Amino acid sequence: MRLQKLAMSFIVVLTTLLVACQNNKVEEIKHPFATAETDKIVDALMDEMTLEEKLVQIEGIRPTKVMEDGKFSIEKAREVIPDGIGHFCQFSSSLTMSPNELRDFVREVQNYLLTETRTQIPAIFHEEAITGFATLGATTFPQQIGMGCTWNPELIEKNANTTRLNMRAAGATFALSPMLDISRTAHWERIEESYGEDAYLTSRLGVAFVNGLQGDDLKTGVAATTKHFAGYGTQNNNPKELYEEYIMPHEAAIKVAGSKSVMPSYGKYKGEAVSISKEMLGTMLRDELKFDGVVVSDYGAVRLVYRGHKQAESLMDAAVKSIEAGIDIELSNPDAFPFLVEAVEKGIISMDVINAAVKRSLTMKARLGLLDENPQIGFDGDLDFDPPANRKLAYESACQSIVLLKNNGILPLQKGIDNIALVGPNAATVQGLLGDYTYQSMTSFWWSKPFDPNNPKLVSLKEGLENSLGAKVKIAHERGCDWSAELESKVMTDGLGDDRLSRVKMLAIKGLPQPDLKNAINIANQSDVIVAAMGENIYLCGEGRQRKGISLAGDQELFVEKMIATGKPVVLVIFGGRQQLVNKFEGKCAAILQAWFPGEEGGNAVVDILTGKVNPSAKLCVTYPSTGKKQEINYKNGYASDNQPQYPFGYGLSYTSYAYAGITAPTQVGINDARFSITCSVKNTGKIDGTEIVQLYVSPKEANLTMKPIQLKGFQRVELKAGEQKLITFNVSPEQLVQYKNGTWEVEAGNYEFKIGSSCTDIHLSADILIKGTNKVLPNGRSVFFSTNQ
């Protein structure tokens, strides 16, 4: 035993040294945005440009501005963009073009810019990308909140890489993704776009997304834009919370992954619109984070300073205030920036400010290869945006994103089940597969156009069951209720009985039969098990789609209770972009799956989990509330005795079981040490293979330490065969304990408890470690963000 301990100690020391060396490579600050090469190219261009030619480089327009009858019009281009343009905004999600048509359209526009404008500067074509390239026919991955529950940076990087290839194939070089807002209330309609409530997890996954999207070189990659800087969807006026939590994902993406584009939020900071906040965009972003890339406005955000926030006297004043604060490019329409010509003439703004923004805009184009002598615009040949390899990733992503919340043993479904009642509004439709900012959601919500569910192919739950079970099991289907209309009401075309986006709803229900409650009850009574597919769709969650609460919408709760009343076991499958309350019937359901918006392969993935072909591994990236209170929930503060969650952060069930044992950690480390190692063993004690997500937390042990009660500081996905045991190691830096205090970044010496568990409340092992030394100030801020795994 003594020799074993000595050997283990040697391994820990050796591992610490190796990882410290490796970590220097992983977390080094990326190269500066501008280089001597790009400066030479950009400066030469700017020396010859007029003010008007410069300003168009910091403006964006929609592609429809240069189109007629659905095609590129050179006459329109000559009229609208005679001097060129900086960006074409959401260029593909607003069109209905095949991959080849889209690439050819981009090439036509770029050819005009390269041959008919005096500056011969190509445009950046940008698009949304959180669930894949938002264009017709492209792979649709699960929504980000679902991907947050995978806790799988490697998978997210692979997915983003396919997005990079698809976008580059079409000639696109810039994405308005990822969304890195920390989201702590299910009442916020945009929570679905986030990776959840935790800064550490969001940062890890955000870095992976940026790495996959940008690749090794921006000349072959797609520039990522982190949004929304900073603290969107929450109160962001607490400096400690703002710096430690809400800024962290952006900072990690900038410093670790080298992202060079940031989008400020529509919100305010200290009462001032973020778009004109010199403190947030200047002091914080540029001075403290050392960000040297481009800052692009959210769509219409500069105009909003004047017309919405009422913090500018005119559009010209909004333009001046925004660009002086730090916004480089106005999207998605030049509402305000054209007035900068007048502002220069009147001496209201310095040309130095404008030139700085223009130079950053052109530097981005240079970094993307657009200013090369022969820039590559798209890929030749027939394009396929959803090849089999992409669909396989979409399937794996969906499988890993679906959280098993409850299981009384009904799952996986046993061979003795001969009759399944498949009911609910999401049972046989594809509306519950699609998150906001998918192509399908955008074309429906923003442009009121129907989408083709076969391009790419969207697999519903019903189709997934039929694919898997075939003729072996009888599947009786009935919707039973609508998403939000009354149970037995007649679907009308004049508002549908509620106030939720009737245009989009009409697209969603077009062609669907009237729900029949009696038939649903009848087939439920004749079944062995009821699979109730409930939840949201593209008109019940997403930007601009506010609901009155977070319960299952409309009469869905009543419908579920009627299914439970049959006495047959109910497997509840909840689709949607947020946590939805299950407290009324959680104790009566046989099983509950949180499927989120699982993307194109969602039906197959859900079924393979139901039948046991796939063992669920997902863990919640958000706390699941037990009440509908409109309040933020942050597991870091601990859960109050009178406000316990339905399910805690990090929670998720499996069809197997895991045992944790043998934690090994140093009793003390120096505050200046590079890394120290914490190890433990994890064993699959069940009868089937599985994947456990092992989570490392830290809690302060001393009353005078100002750190929050518990914080995530590491995690590992561990694949284990039945009966297999593995030794895992977390290599932790004392700098991960850094806090923002009184305007400085400080690591506090003292006693800390490091905890290893399967959720923030299910802790299996712990070890106390004394961080010795004098409190350490980091004069240049954070540079080490993550533990490393072994």
Side-chain angles (χ1 to χ4, degrees):
M1 182 62 71
R2 185 169 179 271
L3 288 174
Q4 187 179 10
K5 287 184 177 179
L6 286 171
M8 181 61 71
S9 298
F10 175 75
I11 290 170
V12 169
V13 171
L14 181 60
T15 299
T16 302
L17 292 172
L18 289 172
V19 172
C21 295
Q22 181 188 31
N23 187 65
N24 289 334
K25 180 180 179 181
V26 172
E27 295 182 349
E28 67 184 359
I29 306 303
K30 299 296 180 179
H31 295 297
F33 182 46
T35 65
E37 179 186 3
T38 61
D39 279 348
K40 182 178 179 181
I41 295 169
V42 170
D43 290 344
L45 277 172
M46 290 184 64
D47 285 345
E48 302 296 325
M49 293 171 72
T50 66
L51 175 58
E52 288 76 11
E53 288 170 337
K54 288 177 178 178
L55 287 180
V56 296
Q57 291 301 319
I58 54 175
E59 297 168 356
I61 62 168
R62 298 277 192 175
T64 50
K65 297 287 187 180
V66 295
M67 299 177 72
E68 210 162 66
D69 298 325
K71 294 183 179 181
F72 172 67
S73 165
I74 198 164
E75 290 78 16
K76 283 273 189 181
R78 289 166 178 160
E79 174 190 342
V80 176
I81 51 171
D83 297 318
I85 194 66
H87 282 241
F88 278 95
C89 306
Q90 287 180 346
F91 80 103
S92 57
S93 60
S94 57
L95 305 177
T96 307
M97 291 185 176
S98 70
N100 288 357
E101 291 170 338
L102 189 67
R103 173 204 56 207
D104 294 344
F105 169 76
V106 173
R107 284 178 168 176
E108 285 184 283
V109 175
Q110 299 287 41
N111 183 64
Y112 160 77
L113 293 170
L114 286 164
T115 60
E116 291 210 21
T117 63
R118 195 183 73 85
T119 57
Q120 300 180 346
I121 299 173
I124 285 174
F125 283 75
H126 75 234
E127 193 46 85
E128 308 290 342
I130 57 172
T131 59
F133 182 21
T135 191
L136 177 66
T139 305
T140 305
F141 292 106
Q143 181 56 289
Q144 276 204 174
I145 195 169
M147 292 308 298
C149 294
T150 70
W151 298 55
N152 192 338
E154 292 76 18
L155 181 60
I156 286 170
E157 185 169 343
K158 287 179 183 177
N159 291 353
N161 183 59
T162 69
T163 303
R164 173 183 71 87
L165 294 173
N166 278 350
M167 292 185 73
R168 273 287 178 173
T173 55
F174 195 98
L176 301 185
S177 302
M179 196 266 238
L180 298 181
D181 296 314
I182 306 299
S183 303
R184 290 173 173 156
T185 173
H187 291 273
W188 190 38
E189 67 270 20
R190 300 193 69 173
I191 188 174
E192 65 170 278
E193 299 172 54
S194 77
Y195 286 127
E197 73 183 62
D198 183 69
Y200 182 96
L201 180 60
T202 297
S203 299
R204 275 286 308 274
L205 302 186
V207 164
F209 186 103
V210 173
N211 282 336
L213 192 66
Q214 297 196 156
D216 297 328
D217 184 348
L218 277 179
K219 287 201 174 185
T220 55
V222 170
T225 301
T226 67
K227 62 184 184 184
H228 305 86
F229 196 83
Y232 188 40
T234 186
Q235 297 297 318
N236 61 1
N237 290 339
N238 181 326
K240 182 175 172 63
E241 188 84 357
L242 176 65
Y243 275 88
E244 290 182 14
E245 302 283 328
Y246 301 116
I247 286 177
M248 180 180 173
H250 299 276
E251 185 177 4
I254 292 164
K255 292 182 175 179
V256 180
S259 61
K260 296 297 182 183
S261 176
V262 168
M263 177 185 284
S265 83
Y266 285 125
K268 296 178 181 179
Y269 177 62
K270 295 182 179 179
E272 185 175 42
V274 173
S275 296
I276 58 173
S277 172
K278 292 182 179 179
E279 183 174 358
M280 184 162 276
L281 301 184
T283 302
M284 294 180 188
L285 181 61
R286 296 240 181 243
D287 298 342
E288 296 174 347
L289 269 60
K290 309 300 181 188
F291 178 72
D292 59 353
V294 297
V295 177
V296 299
S297 82
D298 207 337
Y299 284 13
V302 178
R303 179 185 69 239
L304 188 68
V305 172
Y306 167 55
R307 293 183 177 159
H309 293 299
K310 309 293 185 184
Q311 294 182 355
E313 296 178 358
S314 63
L315 283 173
M316 181 176 71
D317 188 35
V320 170
K321 286 180 175 178
S322 296
I323 197 169
E324 286 185 337
I327 287 192
D328 296 313
I329 301 172
E330 182 185 16
L331 305 177
S332 62
N333 195 60
D335 297 311
F337 273 24
F339 289 101
L340 291 172
V341 173
E342 182 182 350
V344 169
E345 291 171 349
K346 292 181 175 180
I348 297 172
I349 190 170
S350 165
M351 272 304 299
D352 290 342
V353 176
I354 293 175
N355 283 335
V358 174
K359 183 166 185 176
R360 283 191 282 264
S361 176
L362 292 176
T363 298
M364 177 60 80
K365 292 187 175 185
R367 288 290 304 275
L368 293 169
L370 293 173
L371 301 186
D372 290 355
E373 188 172 343
N374 295 299
Q376 181 179 357
I377 309 296
F379 296 167
D380 294 336
D382 286 332
L383 305 181
D384 182 357
F385 287 166
D386 191 38
N390 285 21
R391 289 202 71 94
K392 182 180 177 183
L393 280 174
Y395 168 77
E396 291 173 358
S397 298
C399 288
Q400 292 187 27
S401 72
I402 297 165
V403 188
L404 179 60
L405 297 175
K406 180 183 178 179
N407 186 20
N408 70 359
I410 188 72
L411 299 180
L413 296 175
Q414 303 302 309
K415 292 182 179 179
I417 291 176
D418 299 317
N419 296 282
I420 294 176
L422 178 63
V423 298
N426 282 322
T429 62
V430 298
Q431 302 289 332
L433 306 177
L434 304 164
D436 197 13
Y437 287 103
T438 56
Y439 170 78
Q440 298 91 339
S441 176
M442 294 176 73
T443 197
S444 299
F445 182 70
W446 297 111
W447 308 110
S448 300
K449 297 177 184 176
F451 60 83
D452 181 357
N454 293 307
N455 191 18
K457 172 62 179 175
L458 303 173
V459 182
S460 69
L461 180 53
K462 181 174 182 288
E463 190 172 356
L465 278 169
E466 292 167 346
N467 291 342
S468 177
L469 301 178
K472 294 181 291 185
V473 176
K474 180 182 177 182
I475 302 165
H477 165 251
E478 168 58 52
R479 288 176 68 210
C481 72
D482 195 8
W483 285 285
S484 58
E486 291 182 359
L487 268 177
E488 294 170 288
S489 66
K490 184 178 179 181
V491 177
M492 306 295 290
T493 59
D494 59 353
L496 309 172
D498 65 27
D499 57 356
R500 296 187 182 100
L501 305 160
S502 58
R503 287 180 306 153
V504 185
K505 181 160 187 178
M506 285 307 303
L507 290 174
I509 67 170
K510 185 177 181 180
L512 293 180
Q514 176 71 24
D516 188 331
L517 174 61
K518 290 182 179 179
N519 188 43
I521 293 173
N522 181 50
I523 67 172
N525 280 319
Q526 298 176 40
S527 70
D528 299 315
V529 64
I530 302 166
V531 176
M534 315 306 292
E536 296 178 317
N537 59 21
I538 57 179
Y539 71 75
L540 287 173
C541 192
E543 184 175 14
R545 281 150 275 191
Q546 290 187 345
R547 282 179 51 195
K548 295 176 181 177
I550 57 173
S551 300
L552 294 177
D555 290 318
Q556 289 188 53
E557 280 193 349
L558 177 60
F559 179 78
V560 172
E561 289 173 344
K562 287 183 180 293
M563 292 298 101
I564 292 170
T566 65
K568 298 302 175 75
V570 173
V571 176
L572 178 63
V573 182
I574 306 174
F575 295 84
R578 75 185 93 215
Q579 315 94 297
Q580 296 168 78
L581 295 181
V582 296
N583 58 316
K584 286 187 179 179
F585 41 74
E586 196 267 356
K588 302 173 186 177
C589 289
I592 302 176
L593 279 180
Q594 177 66 57
W596 308 110
F597 287 127
E600 64 182 39
E601 281 286 323
N604 286 331
V606 171
V607 169
D608 285 349
I609 287 176
L610 293 176
T611 59
K613 182 178 178 181
V614 171
N615 189 356
S617 63
K619 303 275 191 177
L620 289 173
C621 63
V622 287
T623 299
Y624 217 98
S626 58
T627 74
K629 292 179 182 177
K630 285 192 174 182
Q631 61 182 22
E632 291 197 348
I633 305 175
N634 182 0
Y635 81 91
K636 290 186 177 68
N637 296 323
Y639 299 126
S641 59
D642 61 347
N643 190 26
Q644 288 293 298
Q646 192 76 56
Y647 308 107
F649 174 82
Y651 170 89
L653 299 178
S654 169
Y655 294 150
T656 189
S657 55
Y658 303 98
Y660 291 66
I663 188 168
T664 302
T667 57
Q668 60 183 39
V669 297
I671 200 167
N672 294 310
D673 289 355
R675 293 269 170 178
F676 58 92
S677 296
I678 301 173
T679 67
C680 75
S681 66
V682 183
K683 183 177 182 179
N684 182 343
T685 55
K687 297 180 180 180
I688 63 173
D689 300 346
T691 298
E692 172 71 330
I693 299 173
V694 182
Q695 302 158 42
L696 175 69
Y697 295 91
V698 65
S699 296
K701 292 279 287 184
E702 299 171 13
N704 63 329
L705 294 176
T706 55
M707 179 182 287
K708 286 191 174 180
I710 184 169
Q711 292 188 29
L712 182 71
K713 292 300 177 185
F715 61 88
Q716 295 193 40
R717 287 181 58 91
V718 184
E719 296 181 4
L720 294 164
K721 302 287 186 183
E724 184 181 12
Q725 178 173 305
K726 287 183 179 178
L727 181 71
I728 65 169
T729 302
F730 294 100
N731 300 290
V732 184
S733 168
E735 290 192 14
Q736 288 178 248
L737 308 180
V738 72
Q739 300 174 69
Y740 189 78
K741 301 177 65 176
N742 302 317
T744 62
W745 287 101
E746 184 176 340
V747 182
E748 288 184 325
N751 285 293
Y752 295 86
E753 183 181 10
F754 286 84
K755 306 172 179 179
I756 295 176
S758 49
S759 80
C760 70
T761 60
D762 190 10
I763 303 300
H764 302 290
L765 304 168
S766 66
D768 292 348
I769 299 177
L770 173 64
I771 307 295
K772 289 185 63 178
T774 305
N775 288 3
K776 180 180 179 180
V777 173
L778 305 181
N780 297 317
R782 288 179 285 207
S783 62
V784 177
F785 295 87
F786 312 124
S787 63
T788 58
N789 300 335
Q790 183 134 341

